[in-house]
Amino acid sequence: MSDAIYYSVLGFAFCLSYAGIFFLFRFFFRDHSRMSERAIAAAAGTTLGFLVLTNIFYYIVPDHELQNRLLHAFGGGFLLFVVCFLVARDLATRIDRVRFFIFSFFIVTTLGVVNEIAELLLHLYFGMSYATNPLDTAFDLVSNTLGALLAAACVLPFYKRIK
């Protein structure tokens, strides 16, 4: 499996993340809204556009360690938090900002851990190594966290509770 295939699969997974997060919000907040075509198109476009920009930025930065940090921060934590925001907006979720932040942060953190497990399995079974040093997984998780916190700072002012 090459890096191009891995990144293609990752991009596809991010597009699917909108649907998964949509159903998580519906399940936990007892919402019975349906996913509109406009919402799907907006989320897919935002996700793909952001992934393209993240990968362009990833290849412009010459230092591999910094590339990896930026990819996890912006292509992981930041992007997934924004997807959570889009889902909450499209569902008109009836939760306040604090609960939205906590729930979205848990989703982003969980998906960051799932990504690290996937990287481990790719390393073990396909010989693909994404770790540049023994602390790579820890640095990746910190980068995801910082990206999510940055996204929260950017989108929470726009989050409005529906009454």
Side-chain angles (χ1 to χ4, degrees):
M1 183 184 264
S2 71
D3 283 350
I5 293 172
Y6 173 70
Y7 289 120
S8 297
V9 169
L10 191 60
F12 183 70
F14 271 110
C15 288
L16 290 179
S17 71
Y18 179 89
I21 292 169
F22 183 92
F23 290 112
L24 272 176
F25 269 82
R26 277 186 55 191
F27 176 76
F28 280 98
F29 301 110
R30 296 188 180 126
D31 192 312
H32 300 292
S33 300
R34 299 185 77 130
M35 202 179 313
S36 71
E37 290 175 11
R38 177 187 118 347
I40 294 169
T46 302
T47 302
L48 287 175
F50 201 87
L51 278 172
V52 167
L53 288 175
T54 301
N55 282 311
I56 289 170
F57 192 57
Y58 177 77
Y59 290 110
I60 289 174
V61 176
D63 179 29
H64 182 70
E65 189 68 26
L66 182 58
Q67 289 172 349
N68 195 19
R69 296 304 131 246
L70 291 171
L71 187 61
H72 280 275
F74 292 103
F78 191 95
L79 176 60
L80 285 170
F81 201 92
V82 169
V83 170
C84 289
F85 173 77
L86 292 172
V87 167
R89 180 202 66 190
D90 293 341
L91 278 173
T93 304
R94 292 175 174 89
I95 58 173
D96 58 57
R97 285 182 192 183
V98 173
R99 286 190 282 171
F100 165 76
F101 169 77
I102 292 169
F103 189 71
S104 298
F105 191 78
F106 284 155
I107 289 172
V108 171
T109 302
T110 301
L111 291 175
V113 170
V114 168
N115 178 67
E116 292 306 312
I117 291 170
E119 284 185 11
L120 173 66
L121 293 175
L122 288 171
H123 176 74
L124 291 175
Y125 295 109
F126 296 100
M128 298 171 68
S129 181
Y130 295 97
T132 56
N133 64 59
L135 297 174
D136 187 67
T137 299
F139 288 144
D140 288 350
L141 294 173
V142 169
S143 297
N144 286 337
T145 301
L146 292 175
L149 292 173
L150 179 62
C154 292
V155 301
L156 281 178
F158 300 103
Y159 182 84
K160 293 184 175 138
R161 180 180 178 191
I162 308 300
K163 296 185 181 201

